[in-house]
């Protein structure tokens, strides 16, 4: 019983105390990754369920407690032999689908960490780079937006108007980087490993005059154009449809070819960018997305609504 309470205290410190460490404090200047944190969180839950402590897990790996802490915070990649050893210790059988899922997640995280891409030159974008890198390795993006056109579908002029209106980007050079990175992301819609995008937009997105009438008209035309792409599904939630399940705000579900449990949810607020990494969060937001897309205008009716707005604004 005492050992289990020690394990619970250690878990609390790892999640609520040590999670506040900076990347430098967490280990040799490394930062955690979204998939690494997701994997580490699942391993932590498995350890805690067995009433084991970090030192016990470390002894099983013939490693240090610091290594276990870094794994559980998502700071370091996890090798397959270490993951198999931890699964053995935590009672996850070899034939258990959980083990396969964790192995796939660890592999995906290692590959994302090694990836080098065009986004590395945009050093002034801060934590937006984490989203860009993850999106670059994704196979699907599902998003509900109630205020803005999704970044993957924005024209450069629209993106610039958004950046200028946001007081975070005070330096003109930073605004230029923001716009260039946003345009660069859009190559995923047409490259050899095409991204599947499914977006549901509130009608308010189409009527908000971002950048003025000329910029908005070009943006509506861009939406109509991309809505015909085979890998893009665009739907509008019309004003007349009334209340819906996602009125609390926008979100993005980033998915991968690996098991569906690797889906992660991205939410922006006025003061932070949040990754919701638990399976419960992913399930909740998949349910929210399914609710709005079922009741939104069909892709065909959405194209008709866009065409009508374009004519109305001429």
């Amino acid at each position: 019983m005492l050992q289990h309470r020690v394990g619970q205290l250690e878990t609390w410190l790892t999640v609520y105390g040590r999670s506040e460490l900076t990347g430098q404090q967490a280990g040799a200047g490394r930062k955690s990754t979204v998939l690494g944190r997701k994997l580490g969180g699942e391993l932590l839950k498995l350890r805690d369920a067995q009433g084991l402590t970090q030192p016990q897990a470390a002894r099983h790996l013939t490693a240090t407690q610091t290594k276990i802490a870094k794994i559980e915070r998502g700071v370091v990649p996890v090798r397959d032999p270490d993951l198999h050893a931890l699964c053995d210790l935590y009672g996850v059988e070899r034939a258990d689908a959980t083990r396969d899922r964790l192995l796939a997640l660890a592999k995906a995280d290692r590959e994302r960490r090694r990836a080098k891409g065009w986004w590395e030159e945009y050093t002034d974008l801060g934590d937006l780079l984490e989203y860009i890198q993850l999106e670059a390795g994704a196979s699907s993006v599902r998003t509900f937006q109630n205020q803005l056109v999704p970044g993957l579908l924005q024209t450069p002029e629209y993106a610039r108007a958004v950046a200028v209106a946001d007081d975070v980007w005070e330096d003109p050079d930073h605004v230029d980087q923001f716009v260039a990175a946003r345009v660069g992301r859009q190559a995923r819609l047409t490259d050899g490993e095409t991204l599947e995008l499914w977006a549901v937009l509130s009608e308010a997105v189409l009527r908000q005059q971002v950048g003025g009438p000329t910029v908005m008209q070009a943006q509506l035309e861009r939406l109509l154009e991309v809505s015909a792409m085979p890998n893009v599904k665009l739907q509008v939630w019309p004003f007349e449809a009334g209340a819906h399940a996602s009125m609390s705000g926008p979100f993005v579900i980033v998915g991968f070819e690996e098991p569906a449990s690797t889906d992660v949810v991205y939410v922006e607020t006025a003061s932070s960018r949040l990754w919701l990494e638990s399976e419960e969060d992913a399930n909740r937001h998949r349910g929210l997305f399914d609710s709005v897309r079922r009741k939104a205008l069909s892709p065909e009716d959405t194209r008709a609504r866009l065409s009508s707005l374009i004519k109305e604004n001429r």
Side-chain angles (χ1 to χ4, degrees), residues 173-185:
D173 290 339
H174 294 177
V175 171
D176 290 343
Q177 282 205 15
F178 176 86
V179 175
R182 183 141 292 186
V183 172
R185 287 169 51 198

Side-chain angles (χ1 to χ4, degrees), residues 9-83:
L9 175 60
E10 184 181 63
T11 296
W12 185 90
L13 288 171
T14 298
V15 175
Y16 297 105
R18 298 169 188 162
S19 64
E20 297 303 316
L21 295 174
T22 64
Q24 183 67 36
Q25 292 169 313
R30 292 183 177 182
K31 292 183 179 180
S32 64
T33 64
V34 173
L35 297 185
R37 291 194 300 270
K38 185 173 178 62
L39 174 62
E42 295 203 29
L43 290 172
L44 187 153
K45 287 179 182 178
L46 289 171
R47 176 174 65 78
D48 190 50
Q50 294 295 316
L52 298 171
T53 66
Q54 284 185 346
Q56 288 173 314
R59 285 195 294 272
H60 188 75
L61 285 189
T62 317
T64 65
Q65 180 180 347
T66 299
K67 178 175 179 177
I68 299 299
K70 288 178 179 178
I71 287 173
E72 292 180 353
R73 292 199 302 270
V75 174
V76 295
V78 184
R79 301 180 305 118
D80 284 358
D82 286 345
L83 188 54

